[in-house]
Amino acid sequence: MDWHQLIKITTAPDNVPIVLMLFLMPFYTWYGLKQSFANDRLIERLEADPELAKTHHRKTQPFVKGWDSTVHVWPYLLKIEFLAMIIVTLILVVWSIFLDAPLEEPANPNLTMNPSKAPWYFLGLQEMLVYFDPWIAGVVLPGIILGGLMAIPYIDVNPRGNGYYTYKQRKFSIWMFFIGFLVLWLVLIVIGTFIRGPGWMWFWPGETWDHHRIVHAMNRNLHEFIGIKDSEVWKAAGFGATVVGAYFVLGGLLCDRLFRKFATEMFKKQNFAQYATTIALTVMMFGLPIKMILRLGFNVKYVMATPWFNI
Amino acid sequence: MSETKPKNKFKLPTAAELKEGQIWKSVFRHKLDETPRNRSLAVLSNVFLHLHPAKINRDAVRYNYTWGMGGITFYLFLVLTITGVLLMFYYHPSKGQAYRDIMYLMHDVPFGNFTRNMHRWAAHAMIITTWLHMFRVFLTGSYKPPREFNWNIGVLLLLFTMLLSFTGYLLPDDQLGFWAVTVGTNMARATPVMGSEGPFGPQLGFTAFNDVRFAILGGSIVDANALLRAYIWHCVAIPIIASVLMIVHFWRIRKDGAISGPAPVMIEQDLSGPVAKKA
Ligand code: HEM
């Protein structure tokens, strides 16, 4: 898209939320990390001085002896909730007065919208369609994302950081969440919103959307790189299965090595099911950026191609 | 005593007298003077406020811990329910009429455009706040015991919030919604084993006329049946499911010992004690 198009996309009413996210996400990441680092400094101080740790109230919030540790919900919490309601209402009212919800032409199955995009919060999934067939991008990966989120409380065996912000005490889980949520999920949405144009092709900001651009399908399946032809179905499938299998086995072994070395405590504490789930989720999560690099950088279409399904 | 003047029946009662009267007392069960007892009763004797405990962690009322995101998400859900019901008065879930109803709302219904806008923007905002809420729950480690189950309720709420938004997208029956839902449901075609274009689907006898996508849309294309289904999921089924999940979510927050923090930080010495060694 050229700059004019970029402005058009950025100011499209339905894209306001994603533009908002571009500011909110970094802000809240900073806001959370700032408190994490403050707590980390307190933790360091207390660990260095066990005597202080016995008497300290152990929070960065101020506390004076004699203060109650609790306060009445009425009025201390309710007045804040009331204020929040007013502020949110005000924002919505102003937003609704100045920006109209879009309404396009009536639905017409014969007139394809190009590009036809899902709502912004699903653009991550739509962007995954570039790298994987729909059964993976649209069904399996969302399932893994939800399942993985649900598994978090049961595989994170670290007892620290329960109820306070900290980075130092939970480096591994925080990094994993940042990579999965901030990097993969949100970056894919940004790509889907701002980079993808007609035909779901890649247009850098500054490039004009060209509805007639044709990309010569240069993507090749991985087995073609080593001279196996698409027509040699079984050979190709076997080769693909080996590569995929090898990725999981070697990736799993690599994770195992790294976890033993750098996440020793987690390794010791997790039972087999927890450990295996952690490794499986890690390997699968990194499968996405790896496939993205293979596709965008090396024009690899499928790693494993069979007549029934492709990966 | 017998000399007292008879009470004047026609004198209006003062505010103070009203507060002593039967009507007032039947509604409000306690006084409102600033005593700890009354402050607690204000919360506990009110069906809406008793979601809250009477007292909470003094540091949890600060904005910086929860960011207020769960509460704001819930408030947006309420806004959406109210504006949504208003929109329903003018909307027919049938092909052709649906689009005209939206035009009518935008141009003729008093405050119709405003109501529609607010419904739209609150829906987008709710998705953002739900994500931010999850983000803060993660950063504060609030999914750790005893709150594992409530995190899972939360993941379901996340899913249903997004489905709520997605089903609503089709309802104006315009190009935007039509193609978004077409793209979205096309993926269902590729469901392994159950989709007509998914791995092993065709081999098991699935076609465009009997696979999961057909079940979702009530047809092989996004048409009248799909519109009606989206409408019912959007206005009836998912709101009910989400409400039930929210009831459980809020109940669980209380049962898990209220909000998780800000808790006192843990230091390594706490972990190397005799208790921790056993684990
Ligand atoms: C419709 C969506 C949701 C609503 C209305 C909602 C509402 C709330 C509210 C009002 C709280 C009280 C504390 C706060 O405001 O932060 C809360 C806490 C909590 N929520 Fe949600 N929530 C939703 C979605 C989620 C999601 C997506 C997750 C996680 C995946 C989640 C997990 C939790 C957990 C674990 C707590 C307890 C936190 C603590 O004790 O610090 N919720 N929720």
Side-chain angles (χ1 to χ4, degrees):
Chain A
M1 76 199 74
D2 54 32
W3 301 113
H4 177 70
Q5 260 160 346
L6 185 66
I7 289 169
K8 229 168 97 184
I9 289 184
T10 312
T11 54
D14 256 353
N15 283 339
V16 169
I18 175 75
V19 177
L20 217 69
M21 290 282 284
L22 287 182
F23 294 96
L24 286 176
M25 269 301 154
F27 171 75
Y28 278 104
T29 307
W30 167 82
Y31 197 42
L33 282 179
K34 188 181 111 169
Q35 295 180 68
S36 304
F37 295 147
N39 277 334
D40 289 349
R41 284 192 294 275
L42 175 67
I43 290 166
E44 255 164 46
R45 230 177 84 213
L46 295 179
E47 282 173 352
D49 186 352
E51 278 315 303
L52 181 66
K54 279 184 195 147
T55 53
H56 196 277
H57 69 287
R58 295 199 179 191
K59 294 187 191 180
T60 44
Q61 289 86 356
F63 188 77
V64 173
K65 252 213 175 78
W67 278 4
D68 255 337
S69 61
T70 55
V71 291
H72 272 107
V73 162
W74 176 294
Y76 298 105
L77 178 59
L78 289 173
K79 76 175 177 204
I80 292 175
E81 288 181 346
F82 188 57
L83 192 67
M85 264 161 67
I86 293 175
I87 293 172
V88 173
T89 311
L90 265 178
I91 293 174
L92 285 177
V93 167
V94 173
W95 193 354
S96 306
I97 287 176
F98 288 105
L99 213 60
D100 279 341
L103 183 71
E104 301 275 330
E105 298 291 302
N108 183 352
N110 301 319
L111 189 72
T112 319
M113 294 250 284
N114 190 6
S116 67
K117 293 191 179 187
W120 62 271
Y121 42 87
F122 280 137
L123 281 185
L125 294 180
Q126 204 178 348
E127 174 66 15
M128 282 186 215
L129 278 174
V130 175
Y131 313 104
F132 291 105
D133 273 2
W135 69 278
I136 302 185
V139 185
V140 176
L141 286 179
I144 293 175
I145 294 173
L146 287 174
L149 281 173
M150 289 185 142
I152 289 177
Y154 304 102
I155 57 179
D156 184 353
V157 290
N158 182 357
R160 301 173 197 78
N162 186 344
Y164 55 91
Y165 291 93
T166 172
Y167 166 70
K168 196 180 93 152
Q169 294 185 332
R170 300 175 54 210
K171 280 186 191 153
F172 177 73
S173 49
I174 290 200
W175 270 108
M176 291 295 274
F177 199 77
F178 276 15
I179 292 172
F181 181 57
L182 291 182
V183 180
L184 293 178
W185 183 247
L186 292 183
V187 165
L188 285 185
I189 290 180
V190 169
I191 294 178
T193 310
F194 296 107
I195 304 284
R196 294 297 177 177
W200 210 256
M201 280 189 243
W202 190 285
F203 292 89
W204 288 107
E207 266 183 275
T208 305
W209 275 11
D210 176 1
H211 283 261
H212 306 288
R213 178 154 113 184
I214 296 169
V215 169
H216 300 288
M218 291 187 311
N219 293 333
R220 296 192 295 164
N221 293 328
L222 195 63
H223 56 245
E224 294 175 74
F225 284 76
I226 60 155
I228 301 177
K229 290 199 191 66
D230 278 340
S231 52
E232 302 169 273
V233 172
W234 287 105
K235 232 168 133 186
F239 170 74
T242 317
V243 175
V244 173
Y247 171 69
F248 275 90
V249 172
L250 294 180
L253 287 176
L254 180 68
C255 283
D256 178 53
R257 272 293 139 81
L258 293 175
F259 291 173
R260 273 170 207 252
K261 190 146 180 229
F262 297 106
T264 326
E265 189 188 306
M266 179 182 92
F267 169 70
K268 280 192 191 141
K269 265 193 134 170
Q270 281 184 327
N271 64 30
F272 179 74
Q274 292 170 323
Y275 193 56
T277 312
T278 311
I279 288 186
L281 287 174
T282 312
V283 173
M284 286 191 280
M285 186 168 89
F286 282 101
L288 176 62
I290 289 175
K291 184 78 198 279
M292 286 175 73
I293 291 169
L294 285 179
R295 168 62 61 87
L296 296 176
F298 301 95
N299 294 319
V300 174
K301 195 163 171 215
Y302 295 123
V303 173
M304 174 180 180
T306 76
W308 310 279
F309 65 92
N310 307 299
I311 293 176
Chain B
M1 279 294 173
S2 57
E3 299 300 309
T4 42
K5 272 194 266 169
K7 227 171 153 187
N8 181 357
K9 275 199 181 141
F10 302 104
K11 199 182 124 243
L12 286 171
T14 63
E17 278 169 341
L18 260 183
K19 280 194 174 174
E20 293 303 318
Q22 189 184 4
I23 297 179
W24 181 275
K25 279 187 162 172
S26 73
V27 180
F28 301 102
R29 289 287 153 100
H30 60 88
K31 299 235 169 71
L32 277 176
D33 350 341
E34 297 276 305
T35 64
R37 189 184 130 82
N38 283 342
R39 283 181 166 182
S40 301
L41 282 175
V43 172
L44 299 179
S45 67
N46 179 305
V47 64
F48 303 107
L49 298 184
H50 96 287
L51 269 177
H52 291 303
K55 293 181 110 186
I56 59 162
N57 182 342
R58 72 173 303 121
D59 299 313
V61 297
R62 292 162 180 273
Y63 180 77
N64 61 12
Y65 185 70
T66 67
W67 309 342
M69 282 304 159
I72 292 175
T73 308
F74 181 53
Y75 179 62
L76 288 171
F77 182 75
L78 296 180
V79 170
L80 285 161
T81 308
I82 294 168
T83 51
V85 168
L86 290 176
L87 293 177
M88 281 173 80
F89 282 116
Y90 293 93
Y91 179 86
H92 304 73
S94 48
K95 271 283 187 196
Q97 185 64 36
Y99 189 83
R100 284 199 292 277
D101 287 339
I102 302 292
M103 296 282 267
Y104 183 53
L105 268 164
M106 286 170 71
H107 300 295
D108 292 310
V109 177
F111 294 103
N113 196 33
F114 178 78
T115 312
R116 174 169 181 256
N117 288 349
M118 193 179 263
H119 194 71
R120 180 79 154 218
W121 304 138
H124 281 311
M126 185 174 167
I127 297 217
I128 298 183
T129 56
T130 310
W131 289 4
L132 286 173
H133 173 56
M134 178 180 78
F135 191 40
R136 101 75 195 151
V137 170
F138 185 87
L139 286 182
T140 56
S142 304
Y143 57 82
K144 300 191 176 198
R147 297 184 180 78
E148 308 99 311
F149 182 72
N150 217 13
W151 167 271
N152 279 291
I153 299 291
V155 175
L156 290 179
L157 277 168
L158 175 78
L159 172 68
F160 282 108
T161 305
M162 289 169 70
L163 286 181
L164 211 42
S165 222
F166 189 64
T167 48
Y169 220 62
L170 183 65
L171 298 185
D173 197 26
D174 64 345
Q175 281 286 69
L176 206 61
F178 177 85
W179 286 104
V181 171
T182 301
V183 170
T185 52
N186 275 348
M187 293 195 208
R189 246 204 288 255
T191 312
V193 185
M194 283 172 1
S196 57
E197 287 172 15
F200 306 110
Q203 286 85 350
L204 289 168
F206 283 104
T207 67
F209 300 97
N210 63 4
D211 66 349
V212 273
R213 181 168 179 274
F214 191 93
I216 294 172
L217 295 178
S220 59
I221 53 165
V222 178
D223 204 6
N225 284 352
L227 187 61
L228 183 62
R229 284 183 191 206
Y231 176 74
I232 292 171
W233 279 113
H234 184 77
C235 302
V236 185
I238 304 181
I240 291 176
I241 298 171
S243 304
V244 171
L245 287 171
M246 279 184 214
I247 292 170
V248 179
H249 198 58
F250 298 156
W251 166 258
R252 267 297 180 135
I253 297 173
R254 295 290 304 278
K255 291 293 137 182
D256 293 340
I259 199 84
S260 58
V265 299
M266 219 181 213
I267 59 175
E268 288 310 309
Q269 283 92 328
D270 300 337
L271 288 164
S272 51
V275 190
K277 254 194 197 130
K278 245 192 327 184

